[in-house]
Each structure stands twice: as C-alpha cells, then as structure tokens.
Amino acid sequence: MTPEPAIILVRPQMGENIGAAARAMLNFGLGRMRIVDPRDGWPNPKAVAMASGAGRVLDHAGLFGTVAEAIRDCDYVFATTARGRELTKPVMTPERAMQHARALSAEGRRVGILFGPERTGLENEDVALANAIVTVPVNPEFFSLNLAQCVLLTAYEWRRQTDATPPEVMDMARIDFATALEVEKLGDHFEEKLSAAGFFFPAEKAAGMKLNLRNMWARLPLTRADVQTLHGMLRQIAWKLKQ
C-alpha cells in the first residue's frame, strides 16, 4: 500500500480550521496530521467539535514545536502558498504536485505538505525548508484560501490520482430498460396517432418520416416506465381531442 503524505499545519490559529482540515483529509482517505505550534494550544475542543466524524485524525495528530522538527523524517516536502517567493524552487499545481507525491510514495519515500497559518500563510523561512511550492490557480484578484479549503483541494488531488471512478455513468439503480418489442409497439402507437392527425404529409415523404421516428426511438435509452408514460400521453391526447 502506498504510504500517504503527512499534512502539516504550521502555526494554525483557529481550532475550527484544524477540525475542518481533519474532515477534509478523511474525506479523501488521509489520516496523518501534524500540527506545528498551534496558537491556542493542543488539544483544542473547538477542533474536535468541528471535526465531527473525523476525530480519529485529531486523536493521532502529532504536535511539534517547529517546522524543522515536523519534517525531520520526510524525504520530500511541499509548501503551499499563493504568494510569489524570491526562492528558486519548482512551482506546481496541486494536480502535478500530487502526481509527484504519488510517485515518490510509491518508491517508499516519505512526503510532507506544509500549510501556513490562516492570516499570513507560510513565512519564507518555512518555505525555504521545502523542496517545491504548490500554488492553486485561483482568481488573482482574490487568491486567499481558507486553510481547510486548501487542505481539501490537495487531498482531493491526492486521491484522484488513483481513483477509478468514471467521469460519467448512468445510474442503473432500479432501472428496467424497455425491450426492443416494447419500443417497436411504442413506435406503432405513435405512427397510428400521428397518421390520424395528418402528420405524415406529403405522402411521398411519409416513409422517410416514419424511418426517422423509428431511428429516434431506437437511439433513446428508454425504460419501461418511459414507454408506459408515452403511451399514456398519447391516449390522453386522443381522448381529449374527442371531447
């Protein structure tokens, strides 16, 4: 199993944000949290309340006095920041960073990801300890991200690298698709009612019009409920027109 990265919250200010970060982590299968010098101390009851069902992440969170201590066992460290830095380092999107993190972890290398305090973000001294920078391509006129939002984006990209969920599916729960015979009978019903209404005009085009309708019915993924509804609509229209 690929080892997961350590999510390292550097000098977080509000317990609520620590708890929300824990929830974001567990949403995407991450459980290794480290906390560096939290402003309001640790443990924090507000963090526990906000974490809700993700309290297990907080229960196993490591507490450290400095960033250097928190990353001591890491082989590669990412620093998340929205600001430009006068430091020569690779700058990656969350997608690229987590691709790289996955590759490193697959080799058995330990990865850490730094997230700065809510008000100021990481200091240059923190970023200098990292191997690469992660920057989210947000609106340049409003680039401030909440701590938990930033953790969630990163955790999502981590999970997405190996998630096999298809981009689109048809929900098949309790769906009973119509048979070819049922679709054929529906086509017969439409032809009957449309012929009576004078739809197939002029006569020389009727065959082509009927063929197009049959092709349309075959193309649609109709369920038995759909077919029954369409039959009912035709019967109701015909009855109403007789009144």
Side-chain angles (χ1 to χ4, degrees), residues 5-190:
I7 302 297
I8 305 169
L9 309 185
V10 178
R11 299 180 296 277
Q13 297 171 307
M14 297 178 63
E16 292 90 341
N17 284 335
I18 299 174
R23 291 184 66 175
M25 289 171 60
L26 197 57
N27 279 151
F28 297 103
L30 297 179
R32 296 179 59 213
M33 175 183 281
R34 299 180 181 182
I35 306 171
V36 177
D37 189 24
R39 183 190 66 182
D40 297 336
W42 192 257
N44 187 310
K46 292 182 178 179
V48 175
M50 180 62 77
S52 188
R56 74 191 83 167
V57 176
L58 302 180
D59 292 341
H60 296 94
L63 181 63
F64 298 86
T66 66
V67 173
E69 293 171 358
I71 65 173
R72 191 161 289 163
D73 66 338
C74 295
D75 300 305
Y76 198 97
V77 177
F78 296 93
T80 60
T81 177
R83 303 197 308 271
R85 305 283 182 165
E86 296 179 358
L87 299 168
T88 303
K89 292 183 187 293
V91 179
M92 305 180 187
T93 64
E95 179 182 19
R96 171 62 187 131
M98 292 305 98
Q99 286 176 344
H100 191 38
R102 280 281 185 185
L104 292 168
S105 296
E107 297 171 358
R109 301 176 69 183
R110 291 163 293 191
V111 174
I113 310 171
L114 302 175
F115 298 85
E118 297 89 323
R119 187 175 63 84
T120 60
L122 293 169
E123 301 292 340
N124 279 352
E125 290 75 15
D126 304 319
V127 179
L129 299 176
N131 301 92
I133 290 173
V134 182
T135 296
V136 180
V138 295
N139 178 2
E141 296 181 3
F142 188 70
F143 55 79
S144 176
L145 278 176
N146 175 272
L147 172 60
Q149 291 174 328
C150 194
V151 171
L152 184 142
L153 281 169
T154 306
Y156 166 73
E157 289 294 348
W158 165 265
R159 186 171 182 86
R160 196 169 69 88
Q161 302 307 317
T162 57
D163 184 67
T165 304
E168 181 177 341
V169 296
M170 172 71 78
D171 186 355
M172 303 294 287
R174 298 180 299 279
I175 288 181
D176 189 9
F177 283 104
T179 66
L181 179 60
E182 289 167 332
V183 174
E184 180 185 349
K185 294 299 183 183
L186 177 65
D188 293 342
H189 195 179
F190 262 89

Side-chain angles (χ1 to χ4, degrees), residues 184-200:
E184 180 185 349
K185 294 299 183 183
L186 177 65
D188 293 342
H189 195 179
F190 262 89
E191 283 190 14
E192 175 193 344
K193 298 303 181 186
L194 291 173
S195 294
F199 177 76
F200 298 112

